[in-house]
Amino acid sequence: MKGYEPRSSSSCAACKFLKRRCIPNCIFAPYFRSDECKKFAKVHKVFGASNVSKILVEVPEEQREDTVNSLAYEAEARLKDPVYGCIGAIAMLQRKMVELQHDLAIAKDRLAHAAATAAATTTATTTTTTAFSGDILNSHVSLPPFPEFSTCCDFNDNFSHNSSSQSWRTHETVDDFIQIPYIF
């Protein structure tokens, strides 16, 4: 049990918060140290002490620390966003991942175009260096449409604000990274 502190007379954070005497075999003691009162307060507010103790009893002892960490993360996310909780954070991260994958595809396409242009300029002696750099800067990249991201629910919050000035047309040529709309 990582994080377990030998107790002399101090109560664990759960027993301090619940204002009760901490017994030697307290189920909360190994996972809510005496200095982690805020952590237990958040978990208690969202899940309740009774439910947390039932969960900890059902979970194998080697997985309890991960369970408590997960409960603490979920409680904090639920307190920050009472409607979506962890799901909102997950959806935001998935959308960011899709956006970064699209940016990576643009960068790879530009790199391939630059390499092809560089290969063409080494074989042709008439092309100058200034024309080469101008070609790369003024080149247009054509990519497949930006993938749609679907979630289990229809979110109409800050995760998907589509203004008419930033609407994404599916077969538009991307000239610069600035033209890619941010999803959130």
Side-chain angles (χ1 to χ4, degrees):
M1 286 187 252
K2 284 197 261 179
Y4 181 72
E5 65 179 30
R7 296 178 308 183
S8 54
S9 63
S10 65
S11 296
C12 68
C15 293
K16 281 183 182 180
F17 182 82
L18 298 172
K19 297 179 180 167
R20 65 181 187 190
R21 186 170 176 268
C22 192
I23 57 175
N25 59 350
C26 176
I27 192 154
F28 298 120
Y31 313 107
F32 295 102
R33 295 188 326 257
S34 61
D35 60 339
E36 296 179 325
C37 290
K38 288 183 181 180
K39 177 181 174 182
F40 181 76
K42 291 175 184 178
V43 171
H44 179 265
K45 186 171 185 172
V46 173
F47 297 105
S50 174
N51 290 331
V52 173
S53 67
K54 288 176 188 176
I55 290 170
L56 289 177
V57 167
E58 292 177 7
V59 172
E61 200 167 325
E62 62 272 1
Q63 295 177 350
R64 287 182 184 171
E65 186 174 351
D66 292 334
T67 302
V68 168
N69 291 336
S70 178
L71 289 173
Y73 177 79
E74 290 179 37
E76 189 166 336
R78 182 61 64 180
L79 291 173
K80 285 182 181 176
D81 185 1
V83 176
Y84 296 117
C86 288
I87 300 301
I90 291 168
M92 183 174 59
L93 290 172
Q94 286 177 335
R95 285 180 180 252
K96 185 68 174 172
M97 184 181 70
V98 168
E99 177 188 326
L100 291 173
Q101 287 173 340
H102 193 258
D103 289 349
L104 180 62
I106 290 172
K108 284 182 178 179
D109 191 45
R110 285 189 173 186
L111 183 61
H113 179 71
T117 306
T121 57
T122 57
T123 58
T125 57
T126 59
T127 306
T128 63
T129 307
T130 57
F132 166 71
S133 62
D135 286 342
I136 291 177
L137 293 175
N138 296 325
S139 65
H140 292 278
V141 178
S142 179
L143 292 174
F146 193 72
E148 291 296 322
F149 179 77
S150 62
T151 60
C152 62
C153 308
D154 288 331
F155 291 156
N156 280 334
D157 59 359
N158 62 347
F159 298 126
S160 61
H161 75 289
N162 289 331
S163 64
S164 60
S165 64
Q166 286 188 334
S167 63
W168 181 259
R169 291 176 288 285
T170 56
H171 296 290
E172 184 176 325
T173 302
V174 177
D175 185 38
D176 197 1
F177 289 109
I178 297 171
Q179 293 180 352
I180 299 172
Y182 286 102
I183 298 174
F184 31 152

